Amino acid sequence: MELRQKLILASGSPRRVDLLKQAGIEPARLMPMDLDETPKKSEHPRSLARRLSADKARAAHQQVRKDLTWGDSYILAADTVVAVGRRILPKAELMQEASSALHLLSGRSHWVFTGVCLIAPDGKLRQKIVETKVRFKRLSGYDIECYLASGEWRGKAGAYAIQGIAGSFVQKIVGSYTNVVGLPLFETLQMLQGEGYDVHTGWTEG
């Protein structure tokens, strides 16, 4: 891989790593950015996804921009926000948070917004917000109880992972499936290609 082909993923999410690998892209380095993800007062879910993805990309860029080894890397960051209307559902860490979120999502539609931000080796910043509409079936109390026992909800926006058990809750999805997992592949690869990154490099290796 050429020097300018190095990609830093400003995230520690195994789901985003797996999605990139699915598309034949292997990040050269993972740089999770520990930022305050608390929404600002009256902040729209779309605006939150945009702000956090840009903040993560800029923070990673600031750390490596003068580094001889990593300074000319592509930096990719993303942030996924789940919302019912304007109500943002945070990443669930406690069982009660997850239970409340699942009761709210039961039998209704919600939106998943992912902000994707790319900083190219020349310092140019590009950003895209992708949204997907997801409708859950009506969940019984037993559905929720068993899902909580699975532990899959922990650390997930909206308290669920669509690629796991919760995929069986989804009645309808309008938009990008990979967006709901955590990284919209079509839009991400379009951005990388637009800045000169050869997304096909890894397709023929191995």
Side-chain angles (χ1 to χ4, degrees):
M1 185 178 287
E2 295 177 3
L3 192 61
R4 284 176 58 82
Q5 279 284 107
K6 286 187 297 191
L7 175 67
I8 294 173
L9 179 62
S11 171
S13 166
R15 296 170 299 283
R16 294 190 177 117
V17 173
D18 288 345
L19 285 167
L20 285 172
K21 288 181 178 179
Q22 177 185 321
I25 297 174
E26 181 93 37
R29 182 177 176 183
L30 302 182
M31 288 185 63
M33 293 292 107
D34 186 18
L35 303 180
D36 182 2
E37 299 186 6
T38 305
K40 295 180 179 179
K41 187 176 180 180
S42 301
E43 189 169 25
H44 190 277
R46 168 188 281 270
S47 301
L48 177 63
R50 179 187 300 276
R51 176 172 65 83
L52 291 179
S53 60
D55 286 352
K56 290 174 182 179
R58 290 191 181 105
H61 182 252
Q62 184 66 26
Q63 286 190 25
V64 304
R65 64 189 181 90
K66 294 182 179 179
D67 189 301
L68 294 177
T69 303
W70 299 102
D72 57 356
S73 300
Y74 289 84
I75 296 175
L76 180 68
D79 193 84
T80 300
V81 175
V82 175
V84 176
R86 292 181 62 95
R87 180 174 174 179
I88 296 168
L89 302 185
K91 293 177 181 175
E93 300 297 343
L94 302 176
M95 191 172 288
Q96 184 55 51
E97 293 174 333
S99 178
S100 297
L102 292 168
H103 278 95
L104 183 63
L105 296 175
S106 175
R108 68 194 305 175
S109 295
H110 61 275
W111 290 92
V112 179
F113 301 90
T114 299
V116 183
C117 186
L118 176 69
I119 299 180
D122 62 3
K124 180 181 177 182
L125 185 148
R126 292 186 62 180
Q127 197 168 20
K128 178 82 174 176
I129 309 297
V130 180
E131 57 188 63
T132 302
K133 188 177 183 180
V134 182
R135 182 173 181 84
F136 268 20
K137 72 171 187 175
R138 187 166 298 280
L139 303 175
S140 69
Y142 190 56
D143 286 334
I144 293 175
E145 179 185 340
C146 291
Y147 188 68
L148 291 174
S150 77
E152 283 193 1
W153 51 271
R154 200 175 301 277
K156 306 296 193 304
Y160 77 93
I162 196 172
Q163 70 275 22
I165 296 167
S168 65
F169 300 162
V170 177
Q171 281 187 327
K172 185 177 182 181
I173 181 169
V174 180
S176 167
Y177 170 82
T178 55
N179 181 52
V180 185
V181 179
L183 187 70
L185 283 182
F186 171 75
E187 291 81 1
T188 299
L189 267 64
Q190 288 287 101
M191 290 173 67
L192 284 165
Q193 284 183 297
E195 292 304 318
Y197 187 97
D198 184 1
V199 301
H200 304 96
T201 300
W203 290 15
T204 56
E205 293 180 351

